[in-house]
Amino acid sequence: MSIEPRQVTRANNPLGQLGAVLEAGESIIIFPEGGRSSGPQLGPFKSGLYHLAKRKPGLELVPVYMENLSRILPKGEYLPIPLASSISFGKPLTLGEQEPKPEFLARARQAILDLAGE
């Protein structure tokens, strides 16, 4: 299942779909910036990651850093370019009890920056 970036409203909110996938025991990949960026810089995170974690208490979110992703699979392309890459996985994150959205999103973003060595 792919959920395309769009203007989310109450009527088309994808959190229900994502929750159903997780409850079925499947994994999901989220680009918390709202989609793939066009360059190597990590942009600010959208609030969807926070709302998913809030809706599913105890949900473990694994930060992943994909080196060279913007060159291997540029935004708008469907076929990867064969270049060297590496993928780093961090320790799972969970939403802290009463953790505010800005702090959680900053912590999740920093976890990926740490994997990138920034």
Side-chain angles (χ1 to χ4, degrees), residues 66-85:
M66 295 180 270
E67 181 186 22
N68 265 348
L69 181 63
S70 62
R71 291 182 60 214
I72 292 170
L73 191 60
K75 188 172 183 173
E77 296 296 324
Y78 296 97
L79 294 174
I81 299 168
L83 294 171
S85 180

Side-chain angles (χ1 to χ4, degrees), residues 15 17 21 31-32 45-46 51 57 74 88 93 95-96 100-101 104:
L15 285 179
Q17 290 175 292
V21 169
F31 291 91
F45 283 11
K46 305 286 186 189
H51 292 294
S88 301
L93 303 172
L95 178 64
K101 177 173 59 175
F104 173 73

Side-chain angles (χ1 to χ4, degrees), residues 11-23:
N12 70 2
N13 192 316
L15 285 179
Q17 290 175 292
L18 294 174
V21 169
L22 292 170
E23 287 175 15

Side-chain angles (χ1 to χ4, degrees), residues 1-35:
M1 167 177 59
S2 174
I3 296 175
E4 299 300 322
R6 61 179 184 260
Q7 187 68 25
V8 175
T9 65
R10 285 184 185 238
N12 70 2
N13 192 316
L15 285 179
Q17 290 175 292
L18 294 174
V21 169
L22 292 170
E23 287 175 15
E26 301 293 328
S27 297
I28 57 175
I29 298 172
I30 297 174
F31 291 91
E33 299 164 273

Side-chain angles (χ1 to χ4, degrees), residues 40-43 65 109-118:
Q41 293 78 26
L42 186 62
Y65 175 70
R109 186 175 183 276
Q110 187 59 53
I112 293 176
L113 290 172
D114 290 347
L115 292 172
E118 296 182 26

